């Protein structure tokens, strides 16, 4: 939670650009590895925030980290969210890579 507050402060002061995207990717990665029950809602909120930005969009690392978080979730419905996310990637990019598909497979 402290890391999220720090990133929010950094974003407020400097805006969202490619360098900040790297920090958000690291934050999503940390949530994915945390095993916390609220990791999925937090990661999905970060993804929605990034998708709403006009100066930068989530990249393949962002989406792969989100898929990884969904795969590690104990939520029974996470596979539905993962499939929907992969479909969005296939339709509007960035195109899924091997890691994205592997994360989806791990979700089952």
């Amino acid at each position: 939670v402290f890391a999220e507050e720090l990133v929010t402060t950094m974003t407020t002061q400097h805006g969202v650009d490619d360098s900040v995207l790297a920090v958000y990717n690291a934050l999503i990665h940390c949530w994915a590895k945390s095993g916390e029950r609220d990791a999925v809602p937090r990661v999905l909120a970060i993804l929605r925030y990034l998708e709403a930005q006009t100066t930068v969009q989530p990249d393949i690392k962002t989406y792969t980290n989100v898929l990884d978080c969904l795969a590690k979730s104990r939520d029974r419905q996470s596979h539905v969210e993962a499939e929907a996310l992969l479909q969005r990637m296939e339709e509007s990019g960035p195109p899924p890579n091997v890691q994205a598909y592997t994360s989806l497979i791990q979700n089952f």
Side-chain angles (χ1 to χ4, degrees), residues 4-62:
E4 280 187 63
E5 292 173 4
L6 186 62
V7 172
T8 301
T9 301
M10 186 174 73
T11 303
T12 303
Q13 293 175 354
H14 302 286
V16 179
D17 60 15
D18 288 334
S19 63
V20 174
L21 179 61
V23 175
Y24 273 108
N25 285 343
L27 182 61
I28 293 170
H29 179 77
C30 288
W31 274 118
K33 302 297 182 200
S34 74
E36 295 289 327
R37 288 189 175 264
D38 61 344
V40 168
R42 288 182 180 271
V43 163
L44 292 176
I46 293 168
L47 179 62
R48 282 190 301 274
Y49 171 78
L50 291 172
E51 288 176 332
Q53 298 304 305
T54 57
T55 55
V56 70
Q57 286 293 297
D59 61 12
I60 189 63
K61 288 182 182 182
T62 311

Side-chain angles (χ1 to χ4, degrees), residues 62-73:
T62 311
Y63 286 107
T64 303
N65 283 327
V66 172
L67 287 168
D68 188 45
C69 184
L70 290 166
K72 289 177 173 48
S73 169

